[in-house]
Amino acid sequence: MPEGLEAEIYRSAAATLVGRKVTAISVDSLCGDEHQLRSVINGRIEDVARHGKFVDIVTTRGVIGMHFGMTGRLIVDELAAIDRLEYGSARDDRRWDRIILQCGNSVIRVNDPRRWSRYSLDPDHSSLGIDLLSSKRALATALRSASHRTSAVKGVLLDQHLIAGLGNLLADEVLFDAAIDPARSFDSLSEQNHLTLTESIFRVVRTLGRRGGSHTGRVGPAIRRVGALCPIDGVELQRRTIAGRTTFSCPVHQS
DNA sequence: CCAAATGTTTTCCC
DNA sequence: CGGGAAAACATTTG
């Protein structure tokens, strides 16, 4: 998915329809409750907000919370906010539209082949942690609050209750940048590691954001395959499953 | 045919 | 109740 950076791109695309009235809604039965969501029909879009990986369409008749799962793409008026999603389909088959918000002449829809996107009315984001685009100070505080945790560093970065918006690609990219082994237990990190990690999250997230998304990093999709070499050390990257997710890291400079 | 895929939730177990 | 690991979920693509 759609990690926090992609969600931000979607947010900004949908925000172009602020002021419009929602005139019709259809929702895939697996991805949301159409009957419930239809209650925002005739509401006017007042704002489009983002919380981590969620995009909220705020209307005068309620909020539609959108989560894009692994392969959801938000498209406004046939203009895909992101043309290509690495593990989504290259195609844009209308059969995979899971929610369609008609707004007069305009349309906001989410095309999601894998059907893991979710839509809810008046979502509660109170359990989400700080946003991935927060200040260094807030990031450092969040990390410190997890300093006792014994699970892998990577797993902690992926915990949405701690930092909302970091996903698999960003987490790998951050740890590659911070030169920290993703498998290390979080409670083994030194004071220096915490500083470096804070710095890396802040910098990597903003850099990739500027470049256009989570997939534009040094250990991005192009290099996420067996046999690929570390762009820094030239040795073969390690592929492991950590915290349940495919993880690539450099056995030389990450420790 | 098989494996793997930018994710969250549920279940089971300490 | 608080982790943490593993399985479940649904579908397409290489």
Side-chain angles (χ1 to χ4, degrees), chain A residues 75-125:
Chain A
I75 296 159
V76 178
D77 289 339
E78 302 313 304
L79 196 70
I82 295 179
D83 285 328
R84 172 169 147 281
L85 205 58
E86 195 60 29
Y87 296 110
S89 171
R91 300 198 329 255
D92 172 25
D93 190 321
R94 297 302 295 255
R95 282 178 308 173
W96 302 329
D97 282 350
R98 308 304 182 189
I99 188 169
I100 302 174
L101 301 181
Q102 194 72 45
C103 306
N105 311 324
S106 288
V107 184
I108 298 175
R109 64 189 171 91
V110 177
N111 192 256
D112 172 29
R114 197 166 163 184
R115 227 177 167 195
W116 274 355
S117 56
R118 292 292 180 267
Y119 315 103
S120 59
L121 184 65
D122 299 327
D124 173 17
H125 299 313

Side-chain angles (χ1 to χ4, degrees), chain A residues 4-48:
Chain A
L5 291 177
E6 285 67 38
E8 175 55 25
I9 294 170
Y10 299 157
R11 184 205 62 72
S12 120
T16 60
L17 298 192
V18 165
R20 302 293 198 98
K21 200 163 87 172
V22 179
T23 47
I25 298 180
S26 65
V27 185
D28 178 287
S29 61
L30 198 73
C31 301
D33 182 337
E34 179 172 271
H35 176 72
Q36 198 178 41
L37 291 165
R38 284 176 66 89
S39 65
V40 311
I41 288 177
N42 288 327
R44 192 171 45 80
I45 300 176
E46 294 187 297
D47 187 25
V48 183

Side-chain angles (χ1 to χ4, degrees), chain A residues 42-165:
Chain A
N42 288 327
R44 192 171 45 80
I45 300 176
E46 294 187 297
D47 187 25
V48 183
R50 181 184 62 76
H51 299 271
K53 302 174 184 176
F54 286 84
V55 169
D56 289 355
I57 311 279
V58 182
T59 83
T60 49
R61 297 209 171 183
V63 179
I64 296 182
M66 302 180 151
H67 189 285
F68 303 91
M70 199 96 101
T71 54
R73 292 185 303 166
L74 185 146
I75 296 159
V76 178
D77 289 339
E78 302 313 304
L79 196 70
I82 295 179
D83 285 328
R84 172 169 147 281
L85 205 58
E86 195 60 29
Y87 296 110
S89 171
R91 300 198 329 255
D92 172 25
D93 190 321
R94 297 302 295 255
R95 282 178 308 173
W96 302 329
D97 282 350
R98 308 304 182 189
I99 188 169
I100 302 174
L101 301 181
Q102 194 72 45
C103 306
N105 311 324
S106 288
V107 184
I108 298 175
R109 64 189 171 91
V110 177
N111 192 256
D112 172 29
R114 197 166 163 184
R115 227 177 167 195
W116 274 355
S117 56
R118 292 292 180 267
Y119 315 103
S120 59
L121 184 65
D122 299 327
D124 173 17
H125 299 313
S126 61
S127 68
L128 288 181
I130 59 163
D131 191 75
L132 81 169
L133 283 165
S134 299
S135 66
K136 284 184 200 176
R137 174 176 225 175
L139 291 170
T141 303
L143 293 179
R144 184 156 16 95
S145 75
S147 54
H148 63 284
R149 289 170 62 168
T150 56
S151 54
V153 181
K154 164 116 181 216
V156 171
L157 291 185
L158 291 176
D159 184 352
Q160 302 298 299
H161 303 297
L162 198 67
I163 300 175

